[in-house]
Amino acid sequence: MTSTQPTTTTRYEPLEEYIHRGISRRQAAYLRRESSALADMAKLRRGIGAPPGRLPELWALTLDGLPASPGGFSDRGPSDAEAEPTAWEMAAYDAMTVHALHQQSRVQPMHRRDFTSLGRAVRRLGASAGAEDAVRSRFHVIGTAQDHDARLTYLRGLIGQLRAFQIPLDYARLAVDLYKLETSRYADRVLLSWGRDYHRNPTSTTNSATPETGEDQ
């Protein structure tokens, strides 16, 4: 009888789809300059670094419809109401809030499904900025960060640079990577994947993009 157990790839698909659909919908509305989307993106940017659930104005944006983690809710304490945010919730929250920073003032979508991983995006950033050593060093720091807050701080800095050079990223994939890093079980695999994508980039990293500093909602 064929086993129906989920694989280590398919078990993360609910998170990928949740992030992809949510960000894509909000991103499209933002690019149309819809007032509600502009306001939502501003709220999400203000939420960067805050624990999921702390800001009531972000509950609907980051928790509504979020699927259960691969282990259901067994990773929570005896009382859901008192439990700390799960790694699943933090990964979704961080991906959505950091995307809001990445998309700010950009007229092209900064989330593009299956477009590029973090490793390839950072490789492209180094070539575009003409500062490969400095960018690579910042990338390495993310990989060696020992806790969530430090990792997010370094990631936020890199995303700000990707935004300046208008380099897109697959946020669905990033959310899964962040989840795996937080749970530690597959952290080494994520780091290896990032290293491979950075050093084995099959496409040209040259880019005509130039940094822009204009700010708006």
Side-chain angles (χ1 to χ4, degrees):
M1 182 176 179
T2 302
S3 172
T4 58
Q5 289 294 322
T7 67
T8 55
T9 298
T10 60
R11 67 195 302 233
Y12 305 115
E13 286 179 0
L15 179 60
E16 288 183 295
E17 286 304 307
Y18 178 77
I19 294 299
H20 172 58
R21 292 176 183 175
I23 286 183
S24 294
R25 182 171 58 250
R26 190 177 301 122
Q27 179 175 258
Y30 178 86
L31 294 175
R32 293 193 297 267
R33 310 302 292 169
E34 295 181 11
S35 59
S36 60
L38 295 175
D40 287 346
M41 294 286 256
K43 292 176 185 176
L44 287 166
R45 288 195 298 275
R46 290 194 293 271
I48 295 176
R54 174 174 290 179
L55 303 176
E57 62 268 30
L58 297 186
W59 289 350
L61 297 176
T62 61
L63 293 171
D64 186 29
L66 179 65
S69 64
F73 294 101
S74 60
D75 56 345
R76 291 185 170 181
S79 171
D80 284 353
E82 297 176 0
E84 294 294 321
T86 66
W88 192 259
E89 291 168 333
M90 288 192 294
Y93 181 92
D94 290 343
M96 287 188 280
T97 54
V98 173
H99 167 263
L101 170 66
H102 197 170
Q103 189 62 57
Q104 184 182 17
S105 304
R106 304 301 84 173
V107 297
Q108 298 295 327
M110 292 295 102
H111 163 60
R112 292 178 60 181
R113 189 73 175 106
D114 298 324
F115 178 70
T116 191
S117 65
L118 184 62
R120 289 180 180 173
V122 173
R123 174 70 176 243
R124 186 176 174 188
L125 171 64
S128 299
E132 293 187 13
D133 289 345
V135 170
R136 183 171 56 251
S137 294
R138 296 187 187 103
F139 188 37
H140 287 175
V141 170
I142 296 177
T144 58
Q146 297 300 306
D147 60 65
H148 167 268
D149 291 346
R151 186 181 302 117
L152 183 63
T153 296
Y154 300 134
L155 175 63
R156 181 181 181 180
L158 270 181
I159 294 300
Q161 291 182 290
L162 292 175
R163 172 186 170 273
F165 285 88
Q166 305 180 77
I167 299 172
L169 188 62
D170 181 346
Y171 275 87
R173 178 172 176 176
L174 178 64
V176 172
D177 285 348
L178 293 176
Y179 172 71
K180 291 178 179 179
L181 286 172
E182 196 66 31
T183 55
S184 298
R185 182 177 180 183
Y186 297 110
D188 288 345
R189 296 185 188 182
V190 173
L191 297 178
L192 177 59
S193 176
W194 284 1
R196 285 171 174 164
D197 287 346
Y198 182 90
H199 290 285
R200 298 180 184 177
N201 188 11
T203 58
S204 173
T205 57
T206 57
N207 179 12
S208 61
T210 55
E212 295 183 10
T213 56
E215 301 290 336
D216 70 1
Q217 285 189 308

